[in-house]
Structures are given as C-alpha cells and as structure tokens.
Amino acid sequence: MDSYLPFLVGLVTLLAGLAVGKAWERYKLQEGRWIDRRKARESPHYILGLNSMVSHQIDKAIEELTQAARLQPDALEIEMILGNLYREKGQVGRSITIHQGLLQRPKLTKLEQAYTLLCLGLDYKRGGFVDRALEAFQDVLRLDPRNGYALAHLQRLHEEQHQWQEAQQVRQRLVALGEPADKGRNQRILAFIEAEMGRDAMKRLDYATAVSRFEAALALDERTVPAYLSLGDVHALEGRLGAAAEAWEKLAEIAPERAYLAFDRLESVYGRLGTAEKFQAFCRRLIAANPKDWRAHLALARQLLGTGSTQAATELLFEALSHSPHALTIHQAIWHALVSQGLDPAMVTRYTELTRQSVFYLDPHVCQRCHYRSTELLWQCPHCHEWDTFVEERIAPAQDAPPADEAADAPPA
C-alpha cells in the first residue's frame, strides 16, 4: 500500500491541477465577482445584440453588445463587431479607436490580427483615408495572402482611384484563388477594367493602345458594351466611319437591349456616309426582333419626323407609349408631332386617353444586386461596386390600378 501512495498523491495532484486550470479558463474575477466566461457568450445581451444587428437596429445592437462585452472584456469578436457597428453608424473615429485597440492585445493569432486589420482598413476607407486603407489591406495580405475579402476591397479602392492597372493585377490574384464556377464573372470584371484602361488611353489620344484594350476586353467577354461604344468612337475619330458603324451594329447584335446607346452615333455616321436610310432599316430590324423596344420606336419616329413623315412617326410614338408610358422623352416627341400637325383634336384626344393613367418617374435604372437606383445607366454600381448590374427599371402598368372613384370605395388593405 505504501508503494502506491506516491502514485495516488501524484494522480490527485494532477486531477486537482486540471480542475483548477479548467476553472481558471472558465471563470474570471471582475469587479470583485467571478464571471463565467462560457455563460457570458450565452448571455441574453449577446444574443439580443446579434438579433438587433440582423434586424438593422444598429443602436440597439450596440447597446446589447456593449453589455455583453462588459461580461467578457477579452472577447475579440464582440469588440470587433462593435467597431463595425460604429462604422455603419458613421462614427468612424470611434470604430478606428476600437480596432486599433484590438491590435494592441497580446497573443493575437495571425488570423485574428488579419481580420482586425481588415476591419481597420474598412474604417479608413469609410473615413476617406485612402492611403491608410490601402496600407491596412496590404498588411492583411502579408499575413494572409489568400484573403479574398482584402483583395476585393483593395481592388475597389484602386477602381475608385481610377488606378486600373493595379485593379487588374488584384483581380488576377482573385482569379487565381477563385473557383471554376466564378470564371465567367471574373472575366466580365476583367473585361470592364480593360475597357476603362482603353478609355484612359483615349483621353491621352493614344488610339492604338485604346483599340488594343477594347479588343482585349471583347476577347474576355463579348458582351462588354462600353468596349463596343468606345471602339466605334476611336474608329470615328480616326475617320474610319465604316469600322465605327460595324462596331456599333455588333453591339446591337450582341446586346440588343443596349442598342439604344448607339442610336445617335449610328444616325450621325450613316448621315456622314450618305446612307441615312440604313438607320431606318436598323431601327425596323430591332422593332421586328422586339416589338416592345420603345427606344427603337422613338428613334425611328424622330428620323421620320425629320423627313416629314409626321403621321407615320406619330403612330410609332403612340405604339411606344403603350409599351412605356412612363418615358418622358416619348411624351415630348409626341407633343412635337402634335404641334407639327396643328394639334389635331382627334390625335390630342387619342393621346390623352393613352396617358390618362400614365406614371412618370426619374429613376429608370436599378442595380439588380443591391437595388440602387440611378437616372442613368452606370457600368459599375457606386453602392455595391458590382459591374454591369444596372437594368431598366420596370413599373407595373398603371392601367391595372382602379380609377380614382373606385379606389376611394375599395376596402383598406
């Protein structure tokens, strides 16, 4: 028995040490009382803070997470979330202070340091400190070269500064890290960056480089509409009108929904080439392919008005109006046609019947990803920074709504 005594003492000491270690890991003395670290994470403040954050109740989320942070001051993720919430609220200075304080903590893992630096970079970006943001994102990549979030934000910063060469290099790094399923999207983004580099070359009057850039963009993605437009512009500036018309006609073939962007260009070039009738044929082909293309109707009607074919132009405009009653440019063209016909009472009556319940609005394009609205077609969304997401916004036909007197009698929703 005496021979087992040292062994038993050692075993009891080991078990006691493990128990003390577990207790020290779980409990912490704070303000004269012991705090259960595990229960702090399960506290109602932490859960309520996350729920409020999901519901976009930023002030409530900050209040609850602040309470949770008091229960567990060394919880890195809670402090990190709090800093991000302050940034969303617009208190960038406070967010920077929190994230800088987290970086001063000892024994941060490389991953924790990388993501704290990422949050700090977003703080600097939101505050307009571009150089500091660039430095922070580059520090993240030094710690974690495969951090896709840092690469994406770094690319956006370069794009916002019109540093297209650098943006292209960062996107190529993302391509190397991406999945095969992302290949199409990556090629589309690289194509738009190539097109922007071509536009910069145009501003420098370096037309040869511009053409090569636009052709490279189309090789990456044949639906890069700005590349067709700018390529035709370069050809027109160099006097190659036929090549310019060919580029814009190709645009209408590849992306007929964007063909209207080349209408004015094509009408001008056809006129300079002495083949003005080609523009009418071009518009008629678009209408035959898509009878609801109100912009093609409008362009053809304007052409006919210029040649004196007022009646045919008015019919085209009325047809366009039935497809897009909200387009202000159609109404302006119709009034021009009506005035040129001496305000024929029958035509005016017909117009008023068509427009009795029309809806006018000034935001014709919307981002498919984040629903940001713009009065013009943009190639990159200023809100979510995605490329080529803007489409024409559609509004439910007004004629589906009940007349004013019936609407008044309708039961409440």
Side-chain angles (χ1 to χ4, degrees):
M1 182 68 181
D2 292 339
S3 61
Y4 287 104
L5 186 59
F7 174 74
L8 291 174
V9 171
L11 181 60
V12 170
T13 303
L14 176 62
L15 292 175
L18 288 173
V20 170
K22 284 293 183 181
W24 183 260
E25 178 184 355
R26 177 171 175 179
Y27 295 96
K28 180 179 181 180
L29 184 63
Q30 180 181 335
E31 296 179 356
R33 60 193 183 96
W34 290 97
I35 300 297
D36 187 338
R37 297 173 190 257
R38 188 176 66 184
K39 289 185 178 180
R41 191 68 52 83
E42 299 171 358
S43 71
H45 297 297
Y46 184 73
I47 303 300
L48 287 172
L50 294 181
N51 287 337
S52 299
M53 186 172 63
V54 171
S55 303
H56 303 288
Q57 299 175 1
I58 295 180
D59 290 333
K60 181 66 174 176
I62 290 174
E63 179 184 347
E64 296 295 342
L65 290 175
T66 300
Q67 293 292 331
R70 290 196 183 102
L71 293 174
Q72 192 175 8
D74 57 346
L76 181 76
E77 70 276 15
I78 297 179
E79 293 288 344
M80 193 181 297
I81 293 171
L82 273 172
N84 293 337
L85 288 173
Y86 280 120
R87 181 179 65 244
E88 290 300 315
K89 192 178 177 182
Q91 298 181 11
V92 178
R94 192 164 185 177
S95 179
I96 291 173
T97 301
I98 290 174
H99 290 137
Q100 284 179 336
L102 293 178
L103 287 173
Q104 303 304 315
R105 289 189 176 185
K107 297 182 181 180
L108 284 181
T109 67
K110 186 179 290 188
L111 184 63
E112 290 172 340
Q113 190 176 0
Y115 277 92
T116 305
L117 278 168
L118 179 63
C119 293
L120 186 59
L122 294 175
D123 296 338
Y124 288 141
K125 182 176 181 291
R126 178 68 176 271
F129 307 111
V130 176
D131 292 338
R132 292 185 182 182
L134 285 170
E135 184 179 352
F137 293 140
Q138 288 164 355
D139 287 341
V140 174
L141 294 171
R142 278 191 282 272
L143 291 167
D144 181 12
R146 299 179 63 84
N147 193 305
Y149 298 106
L151 287 169
H153 287 295
L154 189 60
Q155 177 195 327
R156 290 172 185 172
L157 268 181
H158 287 310
E159 288 173 351
E160 290 171 4
Q161 301 301 310
H162 292 187
Q163 297 169 344
W164 302 112
Q165 191 79 40
E166 292 82 355
Q168 183 186 51
Q169 293 171 358
V170 175
R171 173 50 59 172
Q172 287 170 344
R173 291 177 64 179
L174 279 167
V175 171
L177 298 176
E179 299 293 333
D182 297 330
K183 181 179 178 181
R185 179 174 178 272
N186 285 324
Q187 283 190 317
R188 183 170 70 252
I189 293 174
L190 284 170
F192 275 94
I193 292 175
E194 284 280 0
E196 292 296 335
M197 294 168 72
R199 291 176 62 184
D200 279 353
M202 279 184 66
K203 294 174 183 177
R204 301 192 306 267
L205 305 182
D206 185 358
Y207 296 145
T209 299
V211 169
S212 67
R213 291 293 187 186
F214 296 138
E215 290 176 347
L218 295 173
L220 287 167
D221 181 12
E222 67 173 2
R223 289 185 59 84
T224 311
V225 175
Y228 287 110
L229 292 171
S230 299
L231 181 61
D233 290 339
V234 172
H235 290 322
L237 289 170
E238 293 183 326
R240 292 179 289 171
L241 302 182
E246 183 179 348
W248 296 327
E249 289 169 352
K250 184 68 173 178
L251 158 63
E253 177 186 338
I254 296 297
E257 72 280 3
R258 305 292 196 206
Y260 67 92
L261 298 171
F263 283 168
D264 291 342
R265 292 172 166 93
L266 280 171
E267 186 176 11
S268 174
V269 164
Y270 285 144
R272 292 167 64 184
L273 290 172
T275 56
E277 68 282 355
K278 281 189 174 183
F279 184 70
Q280 294 186 20
F282 172 77
C283 291
R284 293 186 191 281
R285 286 197 303 271
L286 289 175
I287 294 171
N290 180 15
K292 294 185 178 181
D293 188 346
W294 65 270
R295 288 190 174 92
H297 284 79
L298 177 61
L300 179 57
R302 285 173 170 171
Q303 178 83 354
L304 293 175
L305 282 173
T307 60
S309 302
T310 308
Q311 184 62 36
T314 306
E315 292 299 328
L316 279 168
L317 291 170
F318 283 161
E319 187 176 348
L321 187 63
S322 66
H323 299 312
S324 184
H326 58 267
L328 183 59
T329 52
I330 297 178
H331 295 270
Q332 292 172 332
I334 287 176
W335 276 110
H336 177 68
L338 291 176
V339 169
S340 65
Q341 296 179 74
L343 294 176
D344 181 358
M347 300 299 286
V348 172
T349 300
R350 185 177 170 190
Y351 168 71
T352 54
E353 286 297 320
L354 284 172
T355 60
R356 184 169 63 92
Q357 293 178 329
S358 294
V359 176
F360 295 87
Y361 68 96
L362 297 176
D363 298 323
H365 294 95
V366 61
C367 175
Q368 291 175 293
R369 179 179 178 184
C370 69
H371 306 295
Y372 177 87
R373 288 177 173 80
S374 171
T375 56
E376 59 180 337
L377 173 66
L378 302 176
W379 301 119
Q380 187 180 27
C381 178
H383 183 260
C384 70
H385 303 281
E386 190 59 81
W387 286 95
D388 199 27
T389 54
F390 274 88
V391 296
E392 184 181 358
E393 185 175 20
R394 297 294 183 184
I395 285 185
Q399 52 265 34
D400 292 344
D405 52 347
E406 295 181 15
D409 298 330

